Structure formats: structure tokens, C-alpha cells
Amino acid sequence: MPISLLAIGQAAKAQASQDTIISIETEKTALVLQLDAEKRLHYTYLGAKLDNGSDYAALPEAERSTSDYTGMYNSVYTPSGSRNLLEPAITVTHADGNQSLDLQYVNQTSTQLSPNVRLLKIELKDRVYPIEVTLYYKAYYKENVIEQWSAIVHHEKDDIILQKFASANLYLRSGSYWLRQYHGDWAKEMQPEEAKLTHGIKTLDSKLGTRANLFMPSVFMVSLNKPADEDSGDVLFGALEWSGNFREDFEIDPDNNLRIISGINNYASAYHLKPGKVFETPPFVYSFSTSGKGGASRNLQSWARNYKLLDGKGTRLTLLNNWESTYFDFNEEKLRELLKNAKQLGVDMFLLDDGWFGNKYPRNDDHAGLGDWQENRKKLPNGISSIGREADGEGVKFGIWVEPEMVSPKSELYHKHPDWVVKQPGREEYYFRNQLVLDLANPAVQDFVFHVIDSLFIRDPKLAYIKWDCNAVIYNAYSVYLKHDQSQFYVDYVQGLYAVFKRIRDKYPTVPMMLCSGGGGRVDYNALQYFTEYWPSDNTDPIERIFIQWEYSYFYPAIASSNHVTDWGKEPLKFRVDVAMMGKLGFDIVLSKLSSSDLEFCKNAVRTYDDLKPLIWQGQQYRLSDPRENNTASIMYVDSAKASAVMFNYLVNYRYDQGTKHPVRLKGLDPAKRYKLTEVNLYPGKSSGISSESIYSGDFLMKVGFNPNVDADHSSVVVSVRAVQ
């Protein structure tokens, strides 16, 4: 049966005989637009796809407006300055100073990009001023995901000013709306809050310049009528694909419908657009689910693996990092021992972290050296290439840490190129982690950052991994390069960053890179198309990580989550390893301090993980027991054939006699298949509390459940689920 993502028909009502219905459809979702007699385009529906496409013509009659005096409440891309009375998606100042805009439909083009992906382009134009807006809707059929963005161009005699320029302007109809949003800070990422939206405007935004997600990520959920749970309820997941300042407005209009406007934050960012130049906004990605948060989450995860995340269907490198073993205090001899540790542990790679560079201003702490990317002659007299050769000799790969967007005031770069540094002239410098940000709006700085990365590969062509950090936010925003166009800085900075990412990927398309930022301070899908993974948090306490990784997993797949075993927390080593396995496993511990049993366990765990990682990385994720609601957390990953799965279980409440008192219902299995459950990743000398002889039907496991026997003595339990004949 052919896939049809775009259906165009004529409205059945005589009044709307000239109206055109445009439906953007996926397997389970429909976004329906309607063109009225005045050639203005409106939303009429976003929800579950109807079986009969001709029924979309009846939507306007089913949803009668009571008080829309303007006819603009449900505009597909609401302009300001005409008759609109609500929050706009676009605001412009024309070359003559006029601030009005009235966008009318011109035409549409639909292109089948692949059997699963269709792109719809809708052109809008102002009747009075030569300004055009193109709306893009990219529908991923099987994933039930839509990306939406806009492109703005004009042909006036002089520049126009874009005062607001959103990527998307959605419209939802329901009795009530519940927003689940996130906040946080260093080591406290992805803290959820959920509340009922009321009239007025609720805004989520960032003004940090870099590290956009440090205080407030751009991801969110909106549930209709009541808060969605894991398996039921109507819910929309949304996220802006942008690595800088963002803004998301949630406005309930006078008709009690919800308008969602998402895009680049227009804070201090009035953008001067030259005639003929196209300004394209970043995509806003969303997925609507009638099967609760789990359904929307699996939609986004599948979409990310298939289309957005770099090498989302590929593999990842397990690693040993030196940071918590040495911090800044290391030399070649210490690194040689760590290379041997990596080989002994059985991981794929050794990662050299911060502190390897700087000579006049050596990087011996975080007060100096950023910008001076020459090997420190005392620590590495033979250069990073010698460490790479040593790693090759040990049979492991070699990776390295960089933070090329930043500069220390104590650095040769700072003194040589003060004009490359983001800082206000005449004002006192103010530091974030003792550093400042380089001006990526400047092409010369873009060249410098590219060459920082390029030179590493020139010195060591076998370099296998880059950990790209970003620890500072932008204070005293000012670009010497932009001169009098300072309002463009925040936008031009991020576009400059993407230009560097693209240039690096054009030359080194397959090298794994981690998107790091003092924790989850920079993770979004526009950046992740250049990176294989991200660092969720510097907080590696395993109890905290269960909660942090749980919330991130709603929007990002496990293969993208870098999870390291460290000495944070009071839980046993097995617990820490089990938690880190729910993503891309790494170690940041001192192997020489481990007992023989701990070392044996870690080596066995790496081998166990090698068996399980295809399930974890590519399997469908199901959340079984929410740690915010229960004493235990349970998550499972199921392969596409429903023949194998892995279930992770953790005790998160250590009060007396807590644990799994009742069976945990599994999800995603085949009710007709029979499954054998076996505990894996056991600590040496420990026996399992689970019988490996019992066989259960998938129907039983999903309706009755299975008790993994989690308690204080078995605080983390990993269960392999395999179909048997």
C-alpha cells in the first residue's frame, strides 16, 4: 500500500467551496491546514489520523469558534501589526519603518524525499510589501514525527529588521493542557515540573548564548485534558533544534485553544536582513501520541536513530577516561599505566581529558591555558602522537578532550587576539569557570577552531575520538567583528558554530565525538547531527543518574547517552556499572585501587555489555517503574523481533525493607511467545535471587509481571529476556 503523506481535497461545505484542505500525515498522526477564501492559511487539527481523509473537510464545522474577532487565532504563522491580537510568530520592521505584515497563501510544493519521508513547502507572501515566508513541513511516516521550520526573504530597497522569527506556530484544541517542562543547573540537570496551563503566556527560554540547556532545556511535553502517563493519554513532545538562545511561548487563546510558538529567542536579537538574502530558522521537531509518553518517546528515539543522530544505527566505543584518576596531574608514565588499564579492562579506547596543553600558561588547573592547544612539554614531551602510538601498541584506540570555543585570560591566544574574545569594551571582564568565549561570529575564529581539531588529526591520524567541551556562558555579549550589528550576535554565533561543525564533518565524517558541556548544558538535535553522543551530567552519582537519564531518555535514544562509572555516590560498584550500561558505557575510575573481585567484575561487565549493547542502543525502550513514584526504577529494551530484551532494575529508596514488593509488568513483548528470564552481570561469588529455570508467556509477563527481587542486598538487578521454542 503506497504511503501518502499529503492529501489535498475540496471542502464539502458550500460556504467553503473555495477552501483547500491540506493534511500532513504520518502513520498515526495528522496535521491539517485549511486555506480560506481570503487566502489565509489556518490550522484546523493536530491529532490522531482519521481513517477517511475526506473527513478533514468537516473539521471547521466540528470546531466552531466563539470569539475569534480577528480570524487569526489559528493562523499557521501568525504575523503582527495587522489584525492579530495574540502572540505573533513573526514580527518585522520594513525598510520604510512600517511594522505590519499580512501573509497570504501563494502555492505549495510536495516532494517525496524517500518512501518514508515527504517534504511540504508552502509559500506565503505579503500583498503590500515584497516579503515572502516559506513554511516547511517534513513528515517521517513510520516514526510519526514532523519537523517544521520557516524561511524568510524580501526584496525591499533596504534592510528589513526581523524582530521575531519563530520556527513553528502550532495550534491544539482540548479542554485543558498540562505542560511538563524541565529546569536545572550544574549536576542537577533535567528536573521535571508539570502544571496545568492557564490563560496568558507561559514562556520557556534561554539567554545564555552557549550552553542553552544549563538552566532550562528546550524540550517539553504538552498533555491534553489530563497529564499523560507512560502508556495512555494524548501528548505532544516538542524540541527546538538549536544550540543557542531559544524561546517557546504557550498561549491559551480566548477560545481556550493552545497556541505553541517555538524558535530562536528574539531577546537582544533584532536581525537585519538584506534584500535577497534568505533567513532560515532551525527546525522544531515534534511527535503526537495517543498512547502516552512512552509512545511519543519511542517515536522520537526511532527518528533520531534513523535520521538525525550521527551514526545513529552504528556502533560506539567503550572507554576508560583519566579525569578522575589524575585530574590535571599526569605525565607520559602515568598515561602509559592507564593505557594498560584500558587494555586489561577490555574497553575499546583510552580518553585523555583536560590538562594536556599550554606551555607559557600551562593547563595545570582551570585558570589558564585554554586557547593554547600545543602539547605541554613537561607532561607530554613526545606529543600526543606518542600516546596514540602507545595506545595502538596496547591494542586500544586513543581519544582526546578539547574545549576550542573558549579562552583563558591567562593564555597566549588571549593576549595575541583580544579582538577574538566576547567581551564588552570598557567594561570589567566577568568569568564563567575562569574563562571567556571566543567570537564564532568571526570567520577568522571559525578558522581557528576548525584548525584546533584538524591539527589533532594531523599530529595523530589514528585519533579515534573527540570529547568536545563547552563550559562557559556568554557574559557581556559583544563582537568586535560585527561592529554596529550587535543585535545579530547571538544568532551569528550559533550559525558560526554550525559552520565549524559542518566543516569538521566534511573532512572527518565518521570520527566519534561527544557533545559535552559541564553536563547536559548543550544537547539538541541540530548539534547531535554532527555528534555521536552527549554527556548528560557531570553528576555521576548513580542514584542521581537514574533520575537524570530517565528524563533525558524521553527525548534522546540510549545510544546517544554517555554514561561513566566513577567513584561518585555510596552505591556498590555493581550498581554503578549497571546504571552506566543504560547507554554508552565508559569508566572513569582508578583500576589500581580496585579489589581483585571488583576488577574481575568490571572485566566481566564489559563482556556482558558487549552482548547487550545492540539491544540497549537499537531496542525499543519501555519504562516500567518510575523512580519518582516508586521505591524502584525499572526500564527495559526490546528488539524489533520481540525475541530478546534486557530489563534494568534499581533500588532508589534505601529505607527499611524497601524493594520490589509486587511483580513488575513487562512491555513490548509478543504475548504468544515464551520467554526465559536470567539474571546477568552478577558480581563474582554472588548467586541470583531469580530462578533461571522458569519460562513465562509474553502474555503472562505483560499482564501479571515478574518480580526481579530488588532489595537492599540486591540493589541492582539486570535481567536478560530471551524467547524460547
Side-chain angles (χ1 to χ4, degrees):
M1 179 176 171
I3 295 171
S4 175
L5 301 183
L6 178 65
I8 304 176
Q10 295 299 318
K13 304 299 179 182
Q15 174 191 335
S17 60
Q18 297 180 0
D19 292 2
T20 299
I21 299 297
I22 304 171
S23 64
I24 299 103
E25 295 182 344
T26 67
E27 185 176 45
K28 297 180 179 179
T29 305
L31 177 66
V32 183
L33 318 178
Q34 182 182 30
L35 179 64
D36 66 20
E38 296 178 332
K39 293 188 176 182
R40 293 188 177 90
L41 201 56
H42 305 275
Y43 287 114
T44 61
Y45 184 74
L46 172 55
K49 185 170 74 171
L50 304 183
D51 292 338
N52 189 342
S54 63
D55 286 346
Y56 295 130
L59 288 168
E61 182 68 18
E63 296 286 353
R64 291 172 179 254
S65 171
T66 58
S67 59
D68 185 356
Y69 315 116
T70 66
M72 298 289 289
Y73 290 177
N74 61 343
S75 171
V76 294
Y77 198 68
T78 312
S80 64
S82 56
R83 67 194 197 201
N84 172 52
L85 300 176
L86 303 178
E87 183 65 28
I90 180 171
T91 300
V92 304
T93 301
H94 296 285
D96 64 3
N98 192 297
Q99 292 188 305
S100 68
L101 192 63
D102 186 9
L103 296 173
Q104 294 183 314
Y105 174 89
V106 177
N107 60 52
Q108 61 186 289
T109 305
S110 179
T111 306
Q112 192 78 45
L113 302 180
S114 75
N116 189 60
V117 183
R118 181 172 281 273
L119 178 65
L120 172 66
K121 294 169 55 178
I122 300 177
E123 293 185 29
L124 309 176
K125 188 174 182 179
D126 189 281
R127 286 188 303 175
V128 177
Y129 289 89
I131 180 170
E132 302 164 12
V133 175
T134 302
L135 304 181
Y136 292 86
Y137 299 86
K138 194 173 186 179
Y140 300 82
Y141 187 79
K142 293 180 181 178
E143 292 78 14
N144 297 297
V145 165
I146 298 174
E147 282 184 296
Q148 187 174 333
W149 68 97
S150 61
I152 306 163
V153 67
H154 75 96
H155 301 283
E156 300 187 23
K157 294 182 179 180
D158 205 345
D159 294 2
I160 68 169
I161 302 174
L162 303 180
Q163 306 287 1
K164 190 173 183 182
F165 32 92
S167 297
N169 180 173
L170 295 184
Y171 195 72
L172 292 170
R173 300 179 188 271
S174 179
S176 60
Y177 310 90
W178 296 79
L179 174 67
R180 186 178 178 95
Q181 65 183 86
Y182 294 89
H183 68 96
D185 204 336
W186 182 82
K188 297 182 291 186
E189 291 83 2
M190 291 299 284
Q191 304 296 310
E193 293 178 327
E194 189 160 22
K196 184 178 180 180
L197 287 169
T198 58
H199 287 82
I201 299 178
K202 168 77 173 183
T203 298
L204 310 180
D205 77 340
S206 169
K207 302 179 180 72
L208 304 181
T210 65
R211 301 190 65 184
N213 298 335
L214 178 64
F215 295 154
M216 182 169 288
S218 65
V219 296
F220 65 85
M221 310 176 193
V222 170
S223 301
L224 308 186
N225 294 314
K226 63 179 182 179
D229 60 26
E230 192 64 31
D231 302 305
S232 65
D234 293 349
V235 62
L236 178 83
F237 278 30
L240 185 68
E241 301 176 35
W242 183 248
S243 305
N245 294 346
F246 67 88
R247 174 175 170 176
E248 290 162 336
D249 296 318
F250 302 83
E251 180 179 26
I252 297 180
D253 71 18
D255 277 348
N256 298 314
N257 299 311
L258 177 63
R259 308 172 72 250
I260 302 175
I261 299 175
S262 177
I264 297 170
N265 199 338
N266 57 335
Y267 160 77
S269 294
Y271 201 90
H272 293 252
L273 187 63
K274 297 184 180 302
K277 183 180 178 182
V278 178
F279 183 90
E280 189 167 289
T281 66
F284 171 70
V285 61
Y286 54 98
S287 180
F288 182 86
S289 167
T290 59
S291 56
K293 295 183 291 186
S297 176
R298 287 185 289 277
N299 288 343
L300 276 182
Q301 290 178 358
S302 295
W303 167 79
R305 290 191 297 261
N306 292 334
Y307 293 101
K308 205 67 178 185
L309 175 67
L310 184 67
D311 197 26
K313 303 293 284 186
T315 188
R316 298 292 186 270
L317 299 172
T318 54
L319 60 84
L320 176 66
N321 193 8
N322 73 302
W323 179 245
E324 295 201 11
S325 300
T326 66
Y327 294 100
F328 294 99
D329 182 19
F330 58 82
N331 54 33
E332 287 185 351
E333 184 178 349
K334 287 185 179 180
L335 296 182
R336 288 192 192 99
E337 290 302 311
L338 290 172
L339 287 169
K340 293 177 181 177
N341 288 163
K343 174 67 173 179
Q344 183 183 21
L345 188 58
V347 295
D348 302 313
M349 184 185 69
F350 170 72
L351 173 62
L352 175 59
D353 215 294
D354 195 357
W356 57 269
F357 51 91
N359 287 295
K360 182 176 181 180
Y361 301 97
R363 184 71 167 175
N364 294 324
D365 55 39
D366 66 2
H367 287 76
L370 283 178
D372 301 342
W373 297 101
Q374 312 87 23
E375 295 95 332
N376 182 277
R377 288 186 289 269
K378 290 184 178 180
K379 296 179 182 180
L380 303 175
N382 297 299
I384 63 168
S385 59
S386 68
I387 305 302
R389 288 192 297 270
E390 294 271 358
D392 197 44
E394 292 290 345
V396 296
K397 298 179 184 295
F398 175 58
I400 200 165
W401 177 97
V402 290
E403 193 176 3
E405 300 164 62
M406 306 298 164
V407 63
S408 301
K410 290 184 179 180
S411 69
E412 293 183 83
L413 179 68
Y414 177 88
H415 295 294
K416 184 178 180 180
H417 288 290
D419 56 317
W420 286 7
V421 180
V422 177
K423 59 177 182 175
Q424 286 280 353
R427 297 191 186 277
E428 182 180 355
E429 293 177 358
Y430 193 74
Y431 307 127
F432 195 106
R433 205 195 178 203
N434 309 302
Q435 63 196 56
L436 295 166
V437 178
L438 292 175
D439 177 15
L440 279 169
N442 186 338
V445 176
Q446 296 172 28
D447 287 343
F448 170 79
V449 174
F450 169 78
H451 288 300
V452 168
I453 305 300
D454 191 38
S455 67
L456 295 174
F457 289 102
I458 293 171
R459 282 177 273 182
D460 183 5
K462 290 187 176 181
L463 188 66
Y465 187 88
I466 299 291
K467 179 181 177 181
W468 186 308
D469 215 339
C470 169
N471 283 304
V473 302
I474 292 176
Y475 292 126
N476 292 333
Y478 184 85
S479 167
V480 173
Y481 173 78
L482 291 178
K483 299 178 182 176
H484 301 300
D485 295 327
Q486 293 302 312
S487 66
Q488 299 188 186
F489 169 71
Y490 284 118
V491 175
D492 287 357
Y493 174 88
V494 179
Q495 290 178 338
L497 175 68
Y498 290 154
V500 174
F501 287 166
K502 184 179 185 306
R503 191 174 170 188
I504 290 168
R505 280 308 178 196
D506 286 345
K507 188 169 184 179
Y508 305 103
T510 61
V511 176
M513 295 201 305
M514 178 205 290
L515 192 63
C516 185
S517 185
R522 178 192 278 166
V523 52
D524 66 88
Y525 278 117
N526 216 332
L528 279 175
Q529 66 184 314
Y530 303 105
F531 288 77
T532 50
E533 56 220 63
Y534 70 96
W535 182 239
S537 177
D538 279 349
N539 186 343
T540 53
D541 180 306
I543 293 288
E544 295 290 339
R545 267 301 187 111
I546 288 171
F547 289 85
I548 292 171
Q549 291 170 201
W550 182 283
E551 299 299 336
Y552 270 121
S553 77
Y554 280 117
F555 302 94
Y556 304 101
I559 191 173
S561 179
S562 289
N563 307 329
H564 290 182
V565 181
T566 73
D567 290 329
W568 280 48
K570 300 178 181 179
E571 284 66 40
L573 179 63
K574 171 177 160 51
F575 191 105
R576 286 179 271 148
V577 172
D578 288 350
V579 172
M581 277 186 171
M582 294 190 302
K584 203 220 73 170
L585 176 65
F587 290 84
D588 201 343
I589 55 177
V590 184
L591 262 65
S592 61
K593 294 183 179 180
L594 297 181
S595 67
S596 58
S597 294
D598 279 353
L599 181 58
E600 181 185 355
F601 168 73
C602 287
K603 292 162 65 176
N604 290 338
V606 172
R607 289 191 287 269
T608 299
Y609 180 73
D610 285 340
D611 291 335
L612 295 175
K613 64 189 182 185
L615 269 175
I616 299 167
W617 293 349
Q618 301 300 333
Q620 293 288 298
Q621 183 189 54
Y622 294 88
R623 299 168 195 83
L624 312 179
S625 178
D626 190 334
R628 297 186 187 278
E629 299 175 359
N630 302 290
N631 297 316
T632 58
S634 293
I635 294 176
M636 70 183 293
Y637 303 87
V638 185
D639 72 358
S640 58
K642 301 185 178 184
S644 60
V646 60
M647 177 187 184
F648 292 90
N649 307 274
Y650 310 98
L651 183 66
V652 295
N653 182 352
Y654 280 81
R655 296 190 67 186
Y656 177 72
D657 196 30
Q658 296 302 321
T660 47
K661 304 294 186 182
H662 304 286
V664 178
R665 291 181 182 177
L666 279 61
K667 301 174 185 177
L669 301 178
D670 184 338
K673 282 186 167 72
R674 298 181 64 78
Y675 296 92
K676 183 176 182 179
L677 279 65
T678 308
E679 184 174 358
V680 296
N681 215 39
L682 286 164
Y683 193 85
K686 296 288 186 179
S687 59
S688 174
I690 298 171
S691 171
S692 60
E693 303 301 320
S694 300
I695 295 176
Y696 307 88
S697 70
D699 182 62
F700 179 91
L701 290 171
M702 291 190 290
K703 290 179 178 176
V704 177
F706 168 80
N707 195 326
N709 292 329
V710 175
D711 56 30
D713 293 326
H714 302 85
S715 58
S716 65
V717 176
V718 182
V719 180
S720 171
V721 182
R722 302 282 177 178
V724 296
Q725 297 297 327

